[in-house]
Amino acid sequence: MSASSVAETGTATGADRRRAPLVLRNRAFGAVWLGQILTQAAARMFQVGVSWWIVAYAVHDTRGLASGLFMAACTLPAVALAPVVAAAVARFAHRSVLRTAAALAGGASGVLALWAYGGGLPLATVYAAGLALATCQAFFDPCLTTSVPELVDDADIETATGFELSTQSLAGLGGALLGALTVDRTGVAGLAVGCAAAYLCAALLVASARFRTVVPGVGAGASAAPQRRTLRRILSELPYVRRILICFTAANLFTTAVFVVIPLYTRSVLAGGGGTVALLEASLGTGALVGAFTGTRVPGRPTAVGACCLGLMALALALPGLFADRVVIAACLAVAGWCAGAVSVRFVALFQRLVPPADKPGFFAVMQAVLGASLPVASLAFGFAGDFLSPRTLCLVQGAGLVPAACALALLRSPAPAPAAAEPAGGER
């Protein structure tokens, strides 16, 4: 990389580059990373807060189904809009996509805040707001993942991926500490104001960052454009990656149900309030945060590490079904979060190197869609089941459901010639 490129991204040189954390020596990446923290924290805070509002205040009979429908609305756009997202990320400047998504989400949150302050907030309106925010996030997340090589050197890709994935953990932690507590104190109106402020600040941060690829379609992207493949071809020509995604999609049917189970468990089993929801969500988020930064230090092949982590997560999610104690449950969720964070950073870094640059916009949209395809199903299924089964039973179902996915991942072998041939195109370490 040229000296001008280093200056443009705000990086330092020499020994300072090695000593300083990536987010400090690369100001552009640091600004975008902070923007992602704000957007995902706002999204998570909204999801946690509204889920608790539905269970504790708004619905009295079918709480499980109502909260499951809300979580389904928050996860559906990433799946349904995958082709549109891939086309937008490939066609438009990444900074513009990121900035626009954050600004629109801020506007939607502001409208909801005004409506809530006016009183008489319908449940359907909250669902619509959740759908709008999730749509904006569906553009933001894969676009940022695709933009990582534009912000950092190749040697920093794995570190940048760790920082990027830690955002989800920080967001979960922020949502845990603020979402339910904010609803208990200020209602949905205060929740929406906080989200609007976070989204608008994120839009300003992204606008201040400078990306290496300023004009879409220029340079390497332009020469690779004619070779871009359809979304189906991307996965068909990467069988090793496809099988990994299938395993994690199956696992997500049971892991992501925790976001529906936590408020139901808090109210029905622990008889707690927003503070208990905050404790449990914070445990999950803290564990995921630590896992995102320590996942690269776990030795072994990615598939072997992933299988072990899924097995440990199965045990951690099942134990609350046997022991109804706050401390035990918080510890179990911390372990489950660590497993999720460690697995994510290992596999996203692997995909960054295996997927050719021209395919990355489409691939990461596909990755989000494939992994997210199980989220609406899990939310609806576990939400509906929560009106008939005890939350403790749902915990046991979660743990049992992860075992087949862990076994399938353990049986996968390292990539044969095809993925290895594609690795140089994705940037060899």
Side-chain angles (χ1 to χ4, degrees), residues 102-175:
L104 289 176
S109 300
V111 171
L112 180 65
L114 292 175
W115 194 324
Y117 274 119
L121 184 66
L123 189 62
T125 302
V126 180
Y127 283 8
L131 187 65
L133 298 185
T135 298
C136 295
Q137 204 70 41
F139 282 87
F140 194 100
D141 290 340
C143 184
L144 178 60
T145 305
T146 305
S147 302
V148 166
E150 300 175 15
L151 295 166
V152 303
D153 297 335
D154 181 72
D156 289 328
I157 284 180
E158 189 162 312
T159 302
T161 300
F163 275 108
E164 180 201 343
L165 291 177
S166 72
T167 302
Q168 299 176 11
S169 310
L170 288 171
L173 186 58

Side-chain angles (χ1 to χ4, degrees), residues 154 353-357 418-429:
D154 181 72
R353 301 187 185 283
L354 292 182
V355 178
E423 187 172 345
E428 208 169 11
R429 191 174 181 180

